[in-house]
Amino acid sequence: MEDPWRPGKVAVRVVCVDGRGRILLLKWRGPAADYWEPPGGGVDPGETLEVAARREFHEETGLPGTAVVGDGVEVSRDFAWFGEPRPRVERFFLARVDTATPTAPVSLSDWEVGKYVDHLWIHPDDLGEADAHVEPPDLARVVRELQDS
């Protein structure tokens, strides 16, 4: 099975904010511990970053890709994927929904099957209270930057 985060792979993330200012995170099973991060994933050949963000957002949450707005911001990540360093720059996009609703993946890659754990709506000020590591660690700053852009 191909490693989706091989070096050089381009990826996008979507920070979805509800009407109460909470953001949506997905919990994934890691090799050493679970972690939370915004929905997202790899850009397929021929896709623009925006199209990939809309597709990944819908696939991983079941929410409409049309909720994704704006041009996004670049975020440098010193990321480790299953114990392997995978530093990279990702484009983070903003999505807006009026109400936080239960979400569930509608389509997971072979690589993701068995690794998705749960979802969480949480205020950025409360990220330190999450029951697992949050990626990227400076996500609250990224949320502010997206909302200000």
Side-chain angles (χ1 to χ4, degrees):
M1 191 177 314
E2 181 181 334
D3 177 353
W5 299 123
R6 64 191 179 280
K9 178 76 173 182
V10 177
V12 293
R13 298 267 152 224
V14 178
V15 174
C16 184
V17 181
D18 77 356
R20 295 175 45 197
R22 295 176 298 176
I23 61 173
L24 174 62
L25 297 178
L26 304 182
K27 190 176 202 179
W28 297 94
R29 191 163 321 287
D34 293 349
Y35 62 95
W36 294 99
E37 74 177 344
V43 177
D44 289 340
E47 277 186 318
T48 65
L49 297 177
E50 182 180 351
V51 167
R54 290 172 183 265
R55 176 186 52 76
E56 284 285 346
F57 180 65
H58 175 70
E59 287 177 355
E60 291 188 351
T61 69
L63 297 171
T66 55
V68 176
V69 296
D71 296 328
V73 297
E74 286 190 350
V75 176
S76 295
R77 294 184 67 188
D78 190 16
F79 187 76
W81 179 252
F82 283 78
E84 295 288 322
R86 294 286 198 267
R88 62 181 184 264
V89 176
E90 292 179 337
R91 171 78 54 182
F92 277 57
F93 289 86
L94 181 66
R96 294 192 181 275
V97 295
D98 292 332
T99 306
T101 59
T103 68
V106 295
S107 176
L108 293 176
S109 71
D110 290 343
W111 183 266
E112 294 167 325
V113 170
K115 293 177 180 72
Y116 173 79
V117 177
D118 202 0
H119 77 280
L120 170 72
W121 289 93
I122 188 170
H123 195 277
D125 293 341
D126 299 330
L127 289 172
E129 298 173 21
D131 66 353
H133 176 73
V134 174
E135 275 292 329
D138 63 344
L139 183 57
R141 178 197 60 78
V142 174
V143 172
R144 286 190 302 275
E145 188 175 343
L146 280 165
Q147 290 178 318
D148 291 345
S149 65

